[in-house]
Amino acid sequence: MNALAIPAEFFPMNERDLDAVAALEASLQVFPWSRGNFADSLESGYSVWVLRLGGDLIGFSVVMSVLDEAHLLNIGVCKRYQGQGYGARLLRHAMECARLGGAGKLFLEVRPSNERAVELYRHFGFHQIALRKGYYPAVVGREDALIFDKELA
């Protein structure tokens, strides 16, 4: 059975997911969030979700909301499933959760070198509003961050 025939489902992230989410993050990033970062997000009451295909965890998202604004802090899809629409589903779900939570706007940062993500965000109507110099650690020096936002209402 191919992956598209198996329904992908969203579940609130819980403590039992932390090791798998941290391992997925480590497989995606040179400078990954730690298990502790994800645990802190859970404890802080952020909107944290996992995407499962069958029983396999294939993606996650972390959104922090403050008053009427939300911030997409982290999002990732297993490399094996990238390019198949799961990132778009995760982003759409994160936006909807933020909107239902009362946010009128969603912000995010992205590395300019992450061209796939930049393209995805632009496809969903995000607009670059700023550039944050030297925001991300890089193998050599630091990398800038593109700051994007999108109206959710």
Side-chain angles (χ1 to χ4, degrees), residues 40-61:
D40 289 347
S41 295
L42 273 175
E43 285 181 32
S44 296
Y46 296 168
S47 178
V48 288
W49 292 85
V50 295
L51 180 61
R52 292 187 177 278
L53 188 61
D56 298 331
L57 189 147
I58 66 163
F60 63 85
S61 66

Side-chain angles (χ1 to χ4, degrees), residues 14-36:
N14 62 55
E15 195 170 316
R16 292 181 309 279
D17 296 318
L18 291 175
D19 290 335
V21 170
L24 174 54
E25 168 77 351
S27 76
L28 299 171
Q29 304 295 335
V30 176
F31 298 95
W33 274 26
S34 69
R35 182 186 191 281

Side-chain angles (χ1 to χ4, degrees), residues 109-124:
E109 293 91 16
V110 62
R111 293 174 184 266
S113 63
N114 191 347
E115 294 173 2
R116 275 180 113 173
V118 170
E119 184 179 317
L120 176 68
Y121 298 138
R122 287 193 170 129
H123 173 79
F124 273 86

Side-chain angles (χ1 to χ4, degrees), residues 105-108 125-129 147-151:
K105 188 176 279 196
L106 181 64
F107 294 90
L108 61 87
F126 283 83
H127 301 283
Q128 183 180 341
I129 58 169
I147 311 301
F148 283 85
D149 77 349
K150 176 179 174 55
E151 295 288 335

